[in-house]
Amino acid sequence: MQENKTLKAVLAIIGGVVVLGAIIVGLIHFWDDIKKYLPGCCKEDDDELLEFDDIEE
């Protein structure tokens, strides 16, 4: 009976790490889209992008 509890605990820890990793990867992948919806989004970044576009032209 003890082995069953140990196995469940190990699988629960591994599952938690996998879910946490998936959340982190999702945040990294969609960070630019998520930033648009956050209050207080930095408008300076948008201005800098426009400046760089003008330099290339």
Side-chain angles (χ1 to χ4, degrees):
M1 196 75 154
Q2 183 65 23
E3 292 176 18
N4 194 16
K5 289 182 181 181
T6 305
L7 179 63
K8 284 183 181 181
V10 169
L11 291 177
I13 291 170
I14 291 172
V17 169
V18 168
V19 168
L20 185 62
I23 291 171
I24 291 171
V25 168
L27 284 174
I28 291 170
H29 183 72
F30 294 109
W31 181 245
D32 289 333
D33 296 332
I34 293 171
K35 263 196 322 190
K36 294 176 187 175
Y37 299 110
L38 292 175
C41 179
C42 299
K43 305 233 176 190
E44 296 173 9
D45 294 338
D46 295 337
D47 294 339
E48 289 178 8
L49 291 175
L50 293 175
E51 291 175 8
F52 288 128
D53 290 340
D54 293 339
I55 292 172
E56 291 176 1
E57 293 177 357

